[in-house]
């Protein structure tokens, strides 16, 4: 039987939503092992001078609990 844990993280990028998600995974994987999936709960952009200046995602990261 496997047990999974879900945490919620916020990520951002000046390039794209895809890059914002990649940033979430890259940063999470520094301290979390066995990441199984990422669910994007919400997406938004920051606008400056009528131009998109930042892409933001609210992500739920699911990972397996490591057995000893």
């Amino acid at each position: 039987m496997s047990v999974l844990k879900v945490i919620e993280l916020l990520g951002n990028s000046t390039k794209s939503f895809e890059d914002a998600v990649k940033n979430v995974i890259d940063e999470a994987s520094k301290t979390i092992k066995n990441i199984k999936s990422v669910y994007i709960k919400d997406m938004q952009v920051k606008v400056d001078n009528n131009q998109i200046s930042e892409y933001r995602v609210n992500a739920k990261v699911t990972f397996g609990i490591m057995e000893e």
Side-chain angles (χ1 to χ4, degrees):
M1 177 174 97
S2 66
V3 177
L4 302 175
K5 184 170 184 170
V6 178
I7 61 171
E8 196 164 329
L9 299 173
L10 304 174
N12 64 345
S13 169
T14 56
K15 296 178 187 175
S16 66
F17 285 119
E18 184 177 348
D19 195 54
V21 174
K22 183 180 179 311
N23 290 341
V24 167
I25 295 168
D26 288 348
E27 288 300 314
S29 66
K30 290 179 181 177
T31 56
I32 298 170
K33 304 301 177 212
N34 206 18
I35 295 174
K36 300 290 187 188
S37 66
V38 176
Y39 167 76
I40 304 306
K41 182 177 174 184
D42 189 35
M43 297 169 33
Q44 60 181 300
V45 295
K46 181 180 175 189
V47 177
D48 290 320
N49 297 320
N50 296 322
Q51 298 291 320
I52 295 173
S53 61
E54 186 176 52
Y55 298 85
R56 298 174 176 172
V57 294
N58 183 340
K60 290 190 173 190
V61 177
T62 303
F63 57 97
I65 302 297
M66 307 280 287
E67 294 184 21
E68 296 182 339

